[in-house]
């Protein structure tokens, strides 16, 4: 018997025995972890059944997962659906009231980010800006400082001082659309980028061929696609975080990603140049004046300057494109808007911000634009509780990825009957339904992580949409036979910040008198904006590469 026992030990430590042992331990670890997932799943809000290791990752569609989250929530009859990204649960809020309960009423718990608590947020956290950027920074004193500095640039009080600037640039963009309607998308991008460039760096952007348009905004569109949960790289790194530790040269999935970050990026040098040379007061000057007092490092300055640009440019231009799409698809809105504008404003001048109180239907058009197709369709970056929490009997572990699905929230038929229809009248006082936010939409996020550029974007959208509706009867394009070309209200890009795919349309001046006013006011605006003309020696492609 002793001999047999010895042979068994020898077999155990033989190469084949070691392999069997490793395989056995691996299977045990997978089973144990899967049991952990299933036990935790029993305490979480309902969701699709997860697989071991990969969770629900490979059950997600190739594009637009927010639509699937909404479908799952409706099928399971739950405002919150749990989706497992790898071995970790993520909670998707598909109803405004649940989102408000967690992200606003419990903001002291739900204002941090997943990577800073317990569970990884790899792409935008570990491989991104981490604790040097307001967007990905954990909630705390440093975050509050960055928020305070940002409010100096685009807070509610600061934005009031930009009304004349936005008035001038909106007059200019209407004249640009009149002169070159085929390039209306690029005119919108130039307009929105120019406003924030003046605020941030003291110089305007006078052409949509400026590198800040052709390079920076293009890069922002690419970056937006990185934050969409999915089953392809780079977001597959959220399912398999260990893959992020492979050297870039050996791992094709790590191209463009790195754990090493340069502290002096494009926006740092853009801000430094403006602080040293701009004759106009700007946010960059404030950053470099405040920097030594708050021990801001170069990457923090870069992040604050870049966030200002991102918060005010892409949101505004993308919303304007959605507005044009909506007017083409629902032409009766244009007629109602023109009736109000002709009665209140007339044809000798365009509307101004001072007309807001007298233009309730135009205000409703702006609100419906933000509700109908929110730009940040999944509500920006995820929130995470800093401690275990319980909501409606469900256990939400500390550090869980919690995100608002604005696609589902804004299409909830209880809050918004016939949600796919563009109906500004739903925002008129006599028709308003209860909603947790006073404005009646949640396009800029929730709680303490709400977008810092909200006030700037809302003010800019009102004046620009009002002027476009006053200036033009916006209609579908015509084909070679003179028939209208249909537009697809669901043809949108697949990214964190979504916008309609390209579509042609017509901008028909309301009258000869209106056209004359457009040209006069556009020329006057250009004269007043001359003080902001200038150039920068920096190019984003020198920092980020030519692609």
């Amino acid at each position: 018997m002793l001999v047999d026992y010895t042979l068994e030990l020898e077999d155990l430590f033989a190469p084949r025995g070691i392999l069997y042992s490793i395989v056995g331990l691996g299977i045990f670890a997978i089973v144990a972890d899967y049991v952990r997932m299933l036990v935790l799943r029993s305490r979480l809000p309902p969701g699709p059944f997860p697989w071991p290791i990969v969770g629900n990752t490979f059950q997600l569609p190739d594009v637009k997962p927010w639509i699937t989250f909404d479908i799952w929530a409706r099928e399971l009859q739950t405002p919150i659906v749990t989706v497992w990204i790898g071995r970790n649960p993520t909670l998707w809020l598909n109803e405004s009231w649940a989102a408000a309960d967690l992200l606003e009423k419990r903001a002291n718990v739900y204002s941090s980010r997943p990577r800073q608590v317990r569970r990884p947020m790899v792409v935008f956290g570990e491989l991104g800006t981490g604790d040097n950027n307001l967007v990905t920074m954990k909630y705390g004193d440093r975050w509050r400082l960055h928020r305070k500095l940002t409010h100096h640039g685009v807070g509610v009080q600061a934005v009031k001082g930009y009304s004349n600037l936005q008035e001038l640039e909106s007059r200019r963009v209407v004249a640009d659309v009149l002169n070159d309607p085929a390039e209306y998308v690029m005119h919108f991008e130039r307009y929105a980028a120019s406003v924030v460039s003046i605020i941030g760096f003291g110089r305007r952007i006078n052409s949509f061929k400026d590198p800040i348009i052709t390079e920076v905004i293009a890069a922002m569109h690419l970056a937006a696609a990185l934050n969409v949960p999915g089953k392809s790289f780079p977001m597959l790194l959220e399912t398999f975080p260990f893959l992020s530790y492979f050297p870039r040269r050996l791992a094709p999935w790590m191209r463009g990603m790195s754990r090493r970050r340069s502290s002096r990026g494009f926006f740092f040098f853009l801000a430094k140049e403006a602080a040293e040379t701009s004759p106009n007061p700007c946010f960059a000057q404030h950053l470099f004046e405040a920097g030594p007092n708050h021990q801001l490092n170069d990457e923090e300055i870069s992040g604050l300057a870049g966030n200002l640009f991102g918060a005010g440019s892409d949101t505004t231009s993308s919303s304007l494109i959605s507005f044009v799409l909506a007017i083409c698809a629902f032409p009766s809105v244009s007629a109602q808007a023109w009736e109000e504008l002709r009665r209140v404003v007339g044809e000798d001048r365009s509307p101004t911000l001072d007309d807001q109180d007298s233009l309730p239907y135009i205000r409703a058009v702006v609100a419906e634009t933000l509700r109908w197709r929110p730009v940040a369709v999944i509500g920006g970056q995820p929130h995470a509780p800093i401690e275990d929490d319980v909501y409606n009997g469900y256990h939400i572990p500390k550090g869980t990825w919690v995100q608002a699905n604005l696609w589902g929230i804004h299409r909830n038929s209880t809050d918004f009957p016939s949600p796919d229809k563009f109906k500004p009248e739903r925002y008129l006082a006599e028709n308003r339904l209860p909603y947790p936010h006073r404005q009646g939409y949640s396009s800029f996020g929730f709680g303490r992580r709400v977008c810092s550029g909200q006030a700037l974007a809302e003010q800019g959208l009102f004046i620009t949409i009002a002027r476009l509706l006053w200036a033009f009867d916006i209609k579908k394009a015509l084909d070679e036979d003179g028939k209208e070309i249909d537009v697809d209200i669901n043809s949108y890009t697949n990214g964190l910040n979504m916008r309609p795919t390209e579509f042609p349309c017509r901008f028909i001046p309301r009258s000869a008198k209106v056209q004359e006013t457009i040209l006069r006011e556009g020329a006057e605006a250009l004269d007043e904006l001359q003080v902001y003309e200038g150039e920068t020696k920096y190019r984003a492609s020198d920092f980020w590469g030519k692609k």
Side-chain angles (χ1 to χ4, degrees), residues 274-297:
E276 294 173 347
T277 64
S278 176
N280 303 305
C282 59
F283 183 58
Q285 293 169 353
H286 176 69
L287 288 180
F288 278 89
E289 290 170 0
N293 297 330
H294 300 295
Q295 293 79 51
L296 292 176
N297 63 43

Side-chain angles (χ1 to χ4, degrees), residues 336 340 360-362 364 424-433:
Q336 290 179 258
E340 182 177 77
Y361 189 77
I362 303 303
E425 56 269 24
R426 71 173 88 242
Y427 283 97
L428 298 178
E430 61 271 21
N431 299 327
R432 285 286 296 270
L433 293 175

Side-chain angles (χ1 to χ4, degrees), residues 60-97:
L60 296 176
D62 292 326
V63 296
K64 298 178 175 59
W66 47 84
I67 297 176
T68 300
F69 299 152
D70 182 40
I71 292 172
W72 282 340
R74 285 188 277 111
E75 287 178 348
L76 296 168
Q77 298 183 347
T78 176
I80 307 176
V81 62
T82 301
V83 178
W84 289 78
I85 304 299
R87 300 166 54 251
N88 295 313
T90 63
L91 303 189
W92 293 87
L93 313 178
N94 295 275
E95 181 202 74
S96 61
W97 304 96

Side-chain angles (χ1 to χ4, degrees), residues 20 77 96 118 145 152 180 186 207 223 260 264 279 338 366 369 405 430 437 444 500 526 532 534 546-547:
Y20 289 161
Q77 298 183 347
S96 61
R118 177 186 296 168
L145 168 65
H152 181 89
D180 185 15
M186 298 305 296
S207 169
R260 298 180 60 187
R264 293 193 166 198
W338 173 235
V366 176
T369 297
N405 179 13
E430 61 271 21
H437 289 155
F444 297 93
L526 195 58
Y532 298 112
K546 298 296 181 182
K547 288 189 177 181

